[in-house]
């Protein structure tokens, strides 16, 4: 019996490996081609940059990012941070960015809720519900988003009454064509204690849930946590209020002059944008979720049924966790699309990043290159970060799927 | 693959047939091209608005026709390019249009940092407010807490902010990209006040369902001298456009109208002879012909006629001449002498 | 056991039992799909109520209460008409030509109609799988038709051919005239045919390619003579006068046509082994896919003129088309890459074994299969592009939605129902277009995967 020789390391030939990597295995032709391509790109870039510099100089447009410290001189009707007309363009950029993030997050939350509901409805056994959900998806998916946005803003929200004839909800909240006015929450002395109490209740509930899970795995006994959690969530803040006083006072809006004084107003531009983005993306999310749920083999459902589990439990514990693996990447793609689509705010005057920065700031300063570059950089950063996270997730899934 | 080169060939044909525009010698380029490219608004009655068949009319349109008349001897050889407030300056800077005649306010930053030259003042205007009569508001100082509709990319936005800040008043700004959207929002009740140049207020009021339900408040909160704009770097074209406007004003001073210009040519009053070209060669010094003023007046009349026909007593806007009267009749329209 | 006697024989008929629960027919359907559990009963009632509240006002608005005749807004006001007014269809009638053509001059509208007709004529056979001659059809639709459409819609003529452009490029004086045009044309024809024959492998091998090129040039000559392109062509209609559905179709069709070669090039670049090409393709694709389309349109409209030499202007519409072509090209690159990856590696290996070069393999073996596979995804991409054309409204180009919004500003038609009517009309147009395309995409997908259905 001959022994196989011990395996050797491959010889270390750095130059050859480098050559192969650079040429992609195509030899001299590949290297020459790449050099030609690189020089073509360089020439093109040089040409473009010199043209741009010449044109900018001829048109007396300033260059550089110095404009960011110039005074803006205009106001926006929704700012999450303090902003006045005397602030700089950089502040305008921040205000716009926060507005974009706000409407994107709200849109993502509602789109997910509506999307999942519609997907489950479409897969339900109830014929009418399934057809209605299907109809919703087909109608919404086949109409342009800008069309839907303009429809909500121009046709629906503008049909609301003027402030002097607002629809009143219990006399403390009002709906009119300038927005939805709700009482403003003014934190008082007991506010801090209130927040601490809620956090404490949440932490206590999580500890109880962890304990219950440990008991389930160890002894098989099922403890019901939710009544206790609910009691804590209600009880701790109540105790805090009794001991330290009311946490908030409501500033009820009152019609004074032209508009409502006091209270917080949600502008119709924001509402229209949020509704349009949510309903549109929800239709696509519904299709993705439905595809994911249908991709889980039918045997899983049958196995669960043979174990005697009710349908809702099978969905919750067996089907949806498996489907999530298939749903998550396209779902994140839809979230990205929603964030990018929020730039449509410029069509209805909602002050998001694109509208105040690439719209008003661009026309006031004239510095198209810097402004558009900054805007594109923000969206590109969001996209690339999300893609990178998705790649990490996909790699993780691949590893865990290896049998 | 066989057909690939075909696509390349035809693409270059397409790109090659698009006419290049020379930004330097604008007069020569316009005459070679045979048509004047004029930037106007997207539909402002009285200044530049198309009718249902696509024919343009207005004060700014008349001025473009006057420039076409002096350079091409045909007031109809004008290509009107409707531009929003946002892209009017880039169109001029890039060479897409030769002259911007779009009720544009003359300001320092626009004159310097944007690479443009303001030629002269066509219309002395100011910024005002339009409100509904039903609100029973008599002065702009009563507008604390109101919602105000304004167009983005204009000086109006900044003047509005300054005025309310200076008078310690609060307001909600509702800004849109085009004038049409802004006036629609005002009409639907989204805002209480619409602010713009007073001439625009009168013009946009015509687009409302019941124009008489709305009133222009008496306060004028800024100076808005409106006039035609050209690019930096072409002095001859700058002179031509400037003196076209001055010629219209001088013609009104000398009572030369569209009707009587034929007889005025025969006049031997020295001033009229100089202006109409029968004496001297002032037109040729500009690079034009001797009868340049005759062409202007025959095409669009003098300044007063154009004003009356488009925005004054003979039009639907019925704006009084006010500051735009001649200097010797109580206004401030004053043109340098043609000699 | 005694086998002659049966163990049990009935003497009388068994009593009839109750029929089983019906699960077919209308009653069965109601029982199993609508009312089979308390939750389902509630859901059914809730859905029925929802459907009623959505459908009934819609039909009442669009058909029952609608006004069909009138000349201005007074026809659509409730007090003048005597009943609550729904849709104001005279508004659409008055604005119809504007919504379809924009401000295209009326006497030249036959050109737009001819272009639409040609597009339909060339597209219809392409969509039906059974009709043969797809390569010729595709070449006519994707290459010949856009050029013809350009000269039909915009007008204008040609000043010369390849030699004229070369002269322009190197600033050599070449005054265009009729004789020089045809001289240029003939020279270009001979040079191109010679080059094609050379590239396809010399005389006997390149015969067919040379013949095809000659026929193509003959076709071009026929078109030039018919449209009189050598003498200035049809009157020029500036793109600023185009509007409405015309602009929507021009932008979407040009987008998809232009994005195909860009997408194929990028997809091949991304799957190539050459590192520089791969890095460049990845960076390019990720850049264009990571930004919203509006920023691309703004970039094209405001920054593109800055990157070109100072005395060269491009049309506003062409700028938008360039932006959309690059954007759609990046998206299609990913779609086509998916198709390329789905082709088994064995195909390339077999082609390699036969001695085919990389380009021959890609062009003759891999790409045709890959493109056929991704047709459903490409149709979906076209649907998205068709919907995205509405964004040109933001850079002041008037497509269908832009014209609609401009029509809303007309005070002669301002009534409470004008907005809803306009949205209903354009909504129907968009919905029918997109829905038809998505059904076609499903049809193609089912046909492609027919061999895979178990």
């Amino acid at each position: 019996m001959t022994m196989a020789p011990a395996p050797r390391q491959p010889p270390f030939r750095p130059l050859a490996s480098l050559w192969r990597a650079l040429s992609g295995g195509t030899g001299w032709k590949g290297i020459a081609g790449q050099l030609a391509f690189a020089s073509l790109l360089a020439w093109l870039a040089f040409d473009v940059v010199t043209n741009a510099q010449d044109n900018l100089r001829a048109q007396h447009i300033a260059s550089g990012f110095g404009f960011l410290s110039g005074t803006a001189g205009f106001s926006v009707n929704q700012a999450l941070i303090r902003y006045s007309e005397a602030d700089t363009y950089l502040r305008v950029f921040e205000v716009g960015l926060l507005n974009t993030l706000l409407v994107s997050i709200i849109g993502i939350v509602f789109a997910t809720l509506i999307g999942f509901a519609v997907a489950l409805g479409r897969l339900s056994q109830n014929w009418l519900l399934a057809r209605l959900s299907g109809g919703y998806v087909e109608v919404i998916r086949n109409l342009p988003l800008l069309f839907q946005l303009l429809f909500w803003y121009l046709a629906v929200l503008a049909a609301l009454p003027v402030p002097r004839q607002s629809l009143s909800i219990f006399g403390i909240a009002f709906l009119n064509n300038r927005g939805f006015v709700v009482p403003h929450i003014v934190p008082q002395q007991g506010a801090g204690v209130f927040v601490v109490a809620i956090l404490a209740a949440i932490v206590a509930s999580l500890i109880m849930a962890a304990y219950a899970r440990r008991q389930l795995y160890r002894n098989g006994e099922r403890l019901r946590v939710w009544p206790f959690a609910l009691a804590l969530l209600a009880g701790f803040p109540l105790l805090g209020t009794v001991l330290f006083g009311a946490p908030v006072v409501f500033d009820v809006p009152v019609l004074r002059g032209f508009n409502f004084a006091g209270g917080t107003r949600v502008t119709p531009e924001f509402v229209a944008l949020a509704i349009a983005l949510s309903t549109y993306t929800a239709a696509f999310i519904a299709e993705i979720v439905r595809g994911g749920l249908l991709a889980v083999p039918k045997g899983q459902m049958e196995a669960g049924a043979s174990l005697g589990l009710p349908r809702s439990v099978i969905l919750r514990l067996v089907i949806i966790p498996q489907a999530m693996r298939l749903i998550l990447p396209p779902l994140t793609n839809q979230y990205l699309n929603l964030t990018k689509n929020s730039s449509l705010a410029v069509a209805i005057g909602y002050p998001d990043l694109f509208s105040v920065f690439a719209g008003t700031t661009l026309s006031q300063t004239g510095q198209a290159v810097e402004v558009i570059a900054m805007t594109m950089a923000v969206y590109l950063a969001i996209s690339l970060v999300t893609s990178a996270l998705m790649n990490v997730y996909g790699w993780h899934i691949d590893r865990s799927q290896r049998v | 693959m066989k057909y690939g080169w075909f696509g390349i060939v035809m693409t270059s044909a397409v790109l090659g047939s698009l006419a290049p525009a020379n930004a330097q010698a604008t007069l020569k380029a316009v005459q070679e091209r045979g048509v004047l490219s004029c930037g106007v608004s997207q539909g402002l009655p009285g200044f530049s608005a198309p009718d249902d068949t696509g024919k343009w009319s207005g004060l700014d349109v008349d001025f473009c026709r006057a420039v076409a008349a002096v350079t091409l001897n045909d007031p109809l050889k004008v290509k009107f390019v409707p531009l929003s407030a946002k892209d009017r300056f880039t169109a001029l800077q890039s060479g897409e249009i030769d002259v911007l005649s779009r009720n544009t306010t003359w300001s320092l930053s626009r004159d310097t940092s944007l690479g443009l030259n303001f030629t002269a003042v066509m219309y002395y205007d100011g910024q005002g407010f339009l409100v509904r009569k039903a609100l029973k508001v008599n002065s702009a100082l009563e507008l604390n807490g109101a919602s105000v509709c304004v167009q983005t990319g204009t000086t109006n936005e900044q003047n509005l902010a300054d005025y309310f800040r200076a008078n310690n008043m609060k307001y909600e700004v509702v800004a849109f990209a085009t004038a049409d959207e802004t006036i629609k929002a005002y009409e639907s009740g989204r805002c209480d006040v619409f602010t713009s140049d007073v001439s625009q207020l009168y013009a946009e009021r015509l687009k409302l369902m019941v124009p008489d339900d709305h009133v222009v408040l008496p306060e004028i909160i800024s100076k808005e001298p409106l006039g035609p704009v050209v690019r930096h770097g072409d002095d001859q074209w700058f002179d031509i456009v400037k003196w076209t406007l001055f010629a219209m004003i001088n013609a009104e001073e000398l009572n030369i109208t569209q009707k009587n210009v034929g007889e005025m040519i025969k006049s031997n009053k020295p001033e009229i002879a100089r202006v109409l070209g029968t004496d001297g060669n002032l037109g040729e010094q500009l690079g034009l012909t001797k009868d340049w003023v005759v062409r202007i007046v025959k095409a669009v009349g003098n300044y007063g006629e154009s004003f009356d026909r488009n925005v004054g007593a003979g039009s639907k806007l019925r704006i009084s001449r006010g500051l735009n009267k001649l200097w010797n009749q109580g206004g401030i329209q004053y043109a340098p002498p043609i000699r | 056991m005694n086998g002659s006697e049966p163990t049990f024989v009935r003497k009388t008929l068994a009593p009839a039992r109750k029929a089983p629960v019906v699960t077919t027919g209308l009653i069965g359907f109601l029982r199993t799909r609508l009312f089979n559990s308390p939750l389902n009963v509630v859901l059914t009632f809730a859905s029925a109520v929802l459907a009623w509240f959505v459908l009934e006002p819609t039909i009442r608005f669009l058909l029952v209460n609608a006004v069909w005749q009138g000349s201005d807004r007074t026809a659509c006001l409730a007090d003048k008409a005597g009943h609550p007014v729904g849709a104001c269809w005279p508004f659409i009638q008055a604005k119809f030509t504007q919504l379809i053509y924009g401000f295209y001059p009326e006497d030249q509208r036959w050109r737009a109609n001819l272009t639409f007709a040609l597009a339909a004529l060339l597209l219809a056979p392409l969509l039906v799988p059974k009709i043969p001659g797809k390569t010729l059809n595709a070449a006519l639709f994707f290459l010949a038709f856009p050029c013809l459409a350009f000269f039909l819609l915009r007008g204008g003529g040609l000043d010369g051919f390849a030699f004229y452009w070369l002269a322009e490029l190197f600033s050599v004086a070449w005054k265009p005239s009729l004789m020089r045009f045809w001289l240029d044309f003939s020279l270009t024809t001979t040079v191109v045919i010679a080059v094609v024959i050379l590239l396809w492998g010399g005389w006997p091998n390149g015969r067919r390619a040379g013949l095809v090129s000659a026929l193509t040039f003959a076709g071009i000559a026929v078109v030039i003579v018919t449209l009189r392109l050598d003498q200035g062509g049809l009157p020029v209609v500036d793109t600023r006068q185009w509007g409405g559905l015309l602009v929507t179709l021009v932008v979407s069709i040009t987008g998809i046509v232009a994005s195909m070669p860009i997408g194929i090039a990028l997809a091949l670049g991304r799957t190539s082994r050459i590192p520089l090409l791969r890095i460049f393709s990845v960076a390019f694709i990720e850049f264009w896919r990571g930004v919203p389309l509006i920023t691309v349109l703004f970039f094209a409209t405001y920054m593109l003129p800055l990157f070109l030499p100072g005395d060269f202007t491009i049309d506003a519409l062409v700028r938008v088309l360039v932006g959309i072509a690059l954007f759609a090209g990046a998206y299609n690159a990913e779609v086509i890459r998916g198709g390329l990856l789905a082709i088994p590696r064995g195909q390339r290996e077999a082609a390699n074994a036969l001695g085919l070069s990389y380009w021959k393999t890609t062009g003759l073996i891999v790409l045709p299969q890959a493109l056929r596979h991704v047709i459903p995804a490409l149709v979906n991409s076209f649907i998205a592009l068709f919907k995205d054309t509405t964004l040109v409204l933001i850079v002041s180009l008037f497509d269908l939605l832009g014209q609609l919004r401009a029509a809303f500003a007309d005070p002669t038609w301002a009534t409470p129902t004008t907005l809803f009517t306009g949205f209903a009309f354009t909504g129907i147009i968009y919905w029918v277009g997109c829905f038809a395309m998505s059904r076609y995409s499903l049809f193609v997908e089912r046909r492609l995967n027919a061999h895979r259905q178990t």
Side-chain angles (χ1 to χ4, degrees):
Chain A
M1 200 157 82
T2 47
M3 275 184 24
R8 286 188 302 171
Q9 288 282 43
F12 180 58
R13 298 222 188 100
L15 280 179
S17 317
L18 188 66
W19 178 260
R20 200 157 29 147
L22 281 182
S23 68
T26 49
W28 278 108
K29 270 200 303 187
I31 299 284
Q34 285 180 79
L35 276 177
F37 185 65
S39 39
L40 178 71
L41 277 184
W43 175 77
L44 210 66
F46 176 71
D47 202 18
V48 155
V49 167
T50 41
N51 275 341
Q53 282 177 337
D54 288 340
N55 285 333
L56 286 174
R57 214 175 314 126
Q59 294 169 20
H60 292 265
I61 298 179
S63 273
F65 289 93
F67 74 96
L68 285 174
S69 48
T71 315
F74 63 94
S75 80
V76 296
N77 67 356
Q78 177 178 320
L80 291 177
I81 51 180
R82 199 177 306 251
Y83 172 80
S84 82
E85 301 89 357
D87 282 325
T88 61
Y89 285 120
L90 189 60
R91 191 84 173 158
V92 169
F93 179 78
E94 293 163 13
V95 167
L97 186 59
L98 282 175
N99 281 342
T100 297
L101 290 176
L102 174 71
V103 80
S104 304
I105 291 176
I106 302 251
I108 286 176
V109 165
F110 281 105
T112 316
L113 290 174
I114 302 177
F116 271 80
V118 170
L120 288 175
R122 195 154 179 199
L123 289 175
S124 117
Q125 291 168 336
N126 189 319
W127 179 87
L128 199 55
L129 188 60
R131 286 287 168 270
L132 266 186
S133 312
Y136 170 85
V137 170
E138 283 306 314
V139 167
I140 301 284
R141 263 198 331 175
N142 289 322
L143 288 174
L145 176 56
L146 187 58
F147 176 88
Q148 296 183 38
L149 178 62
L150 288 181
F151 173 75
W152 285 109
Y153 184 65
L154 290 179
V156 174
L157 289 183
L160 289 172
V162 286
R164 302 219 168 147
Q165 296 149 14
S166 310
L167 302 168
S168 128
I169 302 169
F170 302 124
I172 55 167
F174 301 91
L175 188 61
N176 55 47
N177 72 351
R178 304 240 183 111
F180 186 44
V181 197
V182 292
H184 185 57
I185 296 181
V186 179
Q188 299 282 299
Q189 204 188 4
V193 177
F194 191 81
V195 171
V196 166
I198 291 198
L199 285 176
I202 292 179
V203 165
S205 312
L206 287 175
I207 294 178
M208 278 199 295
Y211 175 72
R213 192 197 219 103
R214 216 175 60 150
Q215 290 300 95
L216 178 65
Y217 287 162
R218 275 217 193 138
N219 316 336
E221 55 169 308
R222 287 217 285 185
L223 296 171
R224 287 221 297 208
V225 174
W226 64 268
F228 296 99
L230 219 56
L232 280 183
L233 217 53
F236 274 9
L238 202 61
L239 199 61
T241 312
V242 162
L243 288 178
F244 289 96
V248 292
V249 153
F250 289 103
D251 180 10
V252 179
V254 164
L255 181 62
R256 201 179 302 150
F258 297 102
N259 285 317
F260 281 89
T264 321
R265 187 152 58 98
V266 182
T267 56
E269 287 85 25
F270 177 79
V271 172
L273 190 60
I275 292 182
L277 284 176
S278 313
T279 49
Y280 185 74
T281 316
F284 289 89
I285 290 182
E287 280 300 280
I288 292 171
V289 170
R290 187 177 77 108
L293 287 174
L294 285 179
V296 177
K298 204 158 71 111
Q300 300 288 309
M301 185 63 112
E302 292 171 349
S306 72
L307 283 177
L309 300 171
R311 191 158 181 265
S312 59
V313 175
I314 304 177
L315 269 182
R316 187 166 55 94
L317 293 176
V318 178
I319 308 283
I320 290 189
Q322 292 185 60
M324 281 314 272
R325 227 174 278 153
L326 283 171
I327 291 175
L328 222 43
L331 192 65
T332 338
N333 212 11
Q334 287 304 319
Y335 291 163
L336 263 181
N337 281 346
L338 192 147
T339 313
K340 289 192 286 185
N341 284 337
S342 71
S343 55
L344 283 177
V346 70
I348 56 171
Y350 174 73
D352 83 318
L353 173 66
F354 196 80
S355 170
V356 293
F357 201 60
T360 315
T361 309
L362 173 59
S363 45
Q364 280 185 3
T365 60
Q367 297 193 241
V369 177
E370 288 87 359
V371 166
I372 295 187
M374 281 175 74
T375 319
M376 275 177 144
V378 166
Y379 285 110
L380 202 54
I382 299 178
S383 299
L384 290 178
V385 163
T386 317
S387 297
L389 285 175
M390 264 304 106
N391 277 343
V392 167
Y393 175 76
W395 171 82
H396 181 71
I397 292 296
D398 283 342
R399 280 188 50 197
S400 68
Q401 289 261 5
R402 233 174 280 151
V403 190
Chain B
M1 291 302 276
K2 294 179 198 143
Y3 304 95
W5 56 264
F6 178 77
I8 301 174
V9 156
M10 288 320 268
T11 316
S12 359
V14 162
L15 289 177
S17 69
L18 295 158
N22 200 328
Q24 290 313 98
T26 317
L27 175 63
K28 202 160 75 93
V30 167
Q31 285 172 334
E32 249 172 51
R33 206 190 311 141
V35 82
L36 175 75
S37 187
C38 197
V40 290
S41 77
Q42 289 169 321
L44 184 64
F47 286 85
S48 45
D51 65 6
D52 277 337
T53 61
K55 193 160 162 309
W56 288 84
S57 66
L59 196 59
D60 291 328
V61 166
D62 273 354
F63 181 75
C64 287
R65 296 208 193 278
V67 176
V70 287
T71 50
L72 302 168
N73 201 11
D74 186 352
L76 297 174
K77 287 216 172 86
V78 188
K79 180 175 83 152
F80 292 105
V81 181
L83 298 164
S84 74
K86 206 161 34 166
D87 45 28
R88 53 183 159 168
F89 296 126
T90 38
L92 184 60
Q93 289 160 344
S94 69
E96 201 182 328
I97 52 178
D98 303 306
V99 60
L100 177 67
S101 181
R102 193 204 176 277
N103 53 295
T104 308
T105 307
W106 188 344
S107 73
L108 179 121
S109 55
R110 286 176 177 179
D111 217 350
T112 53
S113 71
L114 289 180
L116 308 172
N117 272 337
F118 282 80
T119 50
V121 179
M122 179 111 205
Y123 190 101
Y124 289 95
D125 205 358
Q127 185 173 339
F129 298 101
L130 183 75
V131 295
R132 284 186 166 74
K133 281 192 187 147
L135 287 178
K136 296 209 192 27
V137 168
N138 295 321
S139 146
L141 294 168
E142 297 169 29
L143 291 176
N144 195 1
S147 301
V148 185
C149 279
V150 70
Q151 204 182 338
T152 49
T154 57
T155 48
N156 298 335
E157 218 178 345
Q158 294 161 308
N159 292 335
L160 172 72
D162 291 342
Y163 181 74
F164 272 75
R165 198 152 40 111
N167 288 307
N168 275 324
M169 296 197 292
K170 286 204 178 325
Y171 69 110
E172 183 210 5
V173 69
V174 187
F176 297 93
T178 67
D180 272 347
E181 295 169 29
T182 322
I183 198 69
K184 264 288 168 205
Y186 167 72
E187 187 168 28
S188 73
R190 175 70 184 83
C191 44
D192 307 295
V193 187
F194 173 52
T195 181
S196 181
D197 301 342
V198 169
S199 59
Q200 270 206 31
L201 291 180
Y202 281 105
E204 298 284 353
R205 194 171 68 154
L206 288 181
K207 288 194 191 160
L208 300 171
M209 261 200 281
V210 187
D212 289 329
D213 274 353
H214 307 265
V215 68
V216 176
L217 293 178
E219 276 86 353
I220 307 283
I221 68 172
S222 72
K223 291 190 284 198
E224 307 280 335
L226 313 175
V229 195
V230 294
R231 283 184 288 278
H232 267 175
D234 194 340
D235 289 333
Q236 185 196 39
W237 185 247
F238 174 65
D239 284 338
I240 290 174
V241 173
K242 185 169 54 169
W243 280 98
T244 306
L245 182 52
F246 289 153
M248 287 171 75
I249 300 176
N250 275 315
E252 191 192 355
E253 263 189 56
L254 297 171
N255 279 319
I256 305 174
T257 67
Q258 223 172 3
K259 287 201 182 67
N260 68 13
V261 65
E263 295 132 39
M264 286 288 202
I265 295 183
K266 304 188 196 106
S267 157
N268 45 18
K269 286 215 195 96
E271 224 184 325
I272 297 185
R274 252 198 321 268
V275 164
L276 292 181
T278 42
D279 176 28
N281 64 343
L282 295 166
E284 277 150 14
Q285 289 176 13
L286 276 173
L288 305 168
T289 55
K290 274 196 192 161
D291 62 341
W292 62 293
V293 182
V294 176
R295 285 185 185 179
I296 294 176
V297 179
K298 272 205 185 133
V300 299
N302 62 34
Y303 179 77
E305 287 182 299
S306 184
F307 191 100
D308 277 335
R309 185 175 54 229
N310 291 302
V311 300
S315 74
K316 279 197 271 185
L317 279 83
R318 281 196 298 272
I319 304 180
S320 73
R321 279 196 61 176
L323 277 178
N324 294 300
K325 288 199 192 118
L326 292 177
W327 61 279
N328 52 12
Q329 289 168 8
I332 58 176
Q333 278 289 9
Y334 187 113
I338 296 185
R339 70 177 310 140
Chain C
M1 222 19 221
N2 195 343
S4 57
E5 273 184 43
T7 43
F8 173 72
V9 175
R10 267 200 168 273
K11 299 258 191 301
T12 54
L13 282 175
R17 285 194 287 184
K18 247 170 50 161
V21 171
V22 169
T23 51
T24 56
L26 183 61
I27 307 287
F29 171 76
L30 286 176
R31 208 175 254 154
T32 52
R33 302 300 298 279
L34 287 179
F35 295 112
N36 60 346
S37 81
L39 177 64
N40 265 344
V41 171
V42 169
L43 279 178
T44 308
F45 274 118
S47 312
V49 162
L50 189 64
W52 178 252
F53 271 121
V54 166
L55 287 176
E56 191 260 348
T58 314
I59 297 187
R60 195 156 33 99
F61 178 83
L62 287 179
L63 295 173
V64 175
N65 278 344
V67 171
W68 299 91
Q69 301 270 28
S71 55
D72 68 355
R73 57 184 288 259
T74 48
C76 296
L77 289 175
D79 39 355
K80 297 276 166 47
H83 62 91
V85 167
C88 186
W89 295 118
F91 167 67
I92 301 290
Q93 279 167 15
K95 300 281 174 191
F96 186 72
T97 46
Q98 267 185 25
L99 286 175
I100 304 288
Y101 299 105
F103 287 113
Y104 210 86
E106 203 161 330
D107 49 345
Q108 304 290 330
R109 287 221 181 110
W110 62 270
R111 287 156 60 175
N113 294 336
L114 182 62
T115 315
F116 287 152
L118 272 179
L121 203 64
L122 285 176
L123 189 61
L126 203 56
L127 294 177
V128 178
K130 283 215 183 77
I131 297 183
K134 286 270 181 294
T135 325
L136 179 64
N137 203 346
L140 279 178
F141 181 70
F142 283 101
L143 295 173
F145 173 71
C147 310
L148 190 61
F150 172 79
F151 286 111
L152 264 181
L153 286 174
R154 189 176 172 275
L158 285 173
D159 279 331
F161 251 71
F163 287 94
Y164 174 70
W165 301 326
L166 285 173
E168 284 251 303
L169 197 62
F170 294 112
S171 306
V172 173
W174 174 291
K175 216 162 83 67
S177 79
L178 200 58
M179 202 193 63
R180 288 198 183 193
F181 177 85
W182 288 108
L183 181 67
D184 195 349
F185 182 74
S186 349
L187 275 177
T188 313
T189 312
T190 27
V191 166
V192 170
I193 292 182
V195 166
V196 163
I197 292 181
L198 217 71
L199 281 179
W200 254 257
W203 172 241
N205 303 340
R207 238 183 333 191
R208 193 147 171 267
L211 187 64
V212 168
S213 322
L215 282 176
T216 316
F217 269 106
I220 299 179
V222 164
V223 166
I224 293 180
V225 168
T226 324
L227 289 180
R228 281 209 283 274
L229 292 179
D230 46 352
Q231 295 156 25
L234 296 163
V236 172
V237 176
D238 194 59
T239 53
R240 289 229 178 238
Q241 291 176 292
W242 302 7
L245 193 58
L246 175 64
V247 166
T248 301
L249 289 176
V250 162
V251 170
S252 42
I253 293 184
T254 312
I256 202 73
V257 162
S259 67
M260 286 295 288
I262 299 178
I264 294 177
L266 284 172
L268 290 177
R270 194 165 174 173
T271 50
S272 126
R273 287 175 304 165
I274 302 176
L276 188 65
L277 275 182
R278 204 173 50 235
I279 295 174
F280 174 74
S281 306
V282 169
F284 194 87
I285 293 176
E286 288 306 315
F287 175 76
W288 291 106
R289 273 166 54 102
V291 291
L293 181 56
I294 296 191
T295 36
V296 172
L297 291 178
F298 260 62
F299 170 84
T301 313
Y302 296 116
M303 279 170 75
L304 202 57
L306 290 176
F307 294 154
L308 295 172
D311 54 355
F312 192 75
T313 47
I314 9 177
D315 223 25
L317 184 63
V318 172
R319 275 181 246 163
V320 162
L321 289 176
V322 167
I324 289 196
L326 290 171
F327 184 78
Y331 269 86
N332 281 350
E334 286 296 283
V335 167
I336 295 175
R337 186 175 77 108
L340 284 175
L341 290 177
I343 305 294
R345 208 152 44 116
Q347 299 284 309
R348 262 199 197 278
E349 291 172 354
N352 216 353
L354 284 175
L356 296 173
S357 70
Y358 173 80
W359 288 110
K360 282 221 158 66
T361 321
T362 315
L364 293 174
I365 311 282
V366 176
L367 262 187
Q369 293 185 56
L371 288 178
R372 251 203 306 272
H373 266 201
V374 299
I375 289 178
L378 284 179
V379 175
N380 286 343
S381 178
F382 183 57
I383 297 176
L385 193 58
F386 185 67
K387 290 189 294 181
D388 280 341
T389 56
T390 49
L391 267 60
V392 302
L393 154 66
I394 298 182
V395 285
S396 314
L397 272 179
F398 287 102
D399 71 316
L400 184 56
L401 198 59
Q403 278 290 1
L404 183 70
R405 206 161 181 197
F408 283 155
D410 190 354
T412 43
W413 287 103
T415 71
T417 53
T418 308
L419 288 176
F420 288 101
T421 314
F423 278 120
F425 179 69
T426 43
I428 291 176
I429 294 183
Y430 278 118
W431 190 84
V432 166
C434 293
F435 188 69
M437 285 190 277
S438 68
R439 286 288 123 180
Y440 177 72
S441 157
L442 275 177
F443 160 72
V444 172
E445 198 176 344
R446 229 174 288 137
R447 210 161 174 280
L448 281 177
N449 292 338
H451 64 282
R452 271 202 234 146
Q453 271 167 6
T454 49

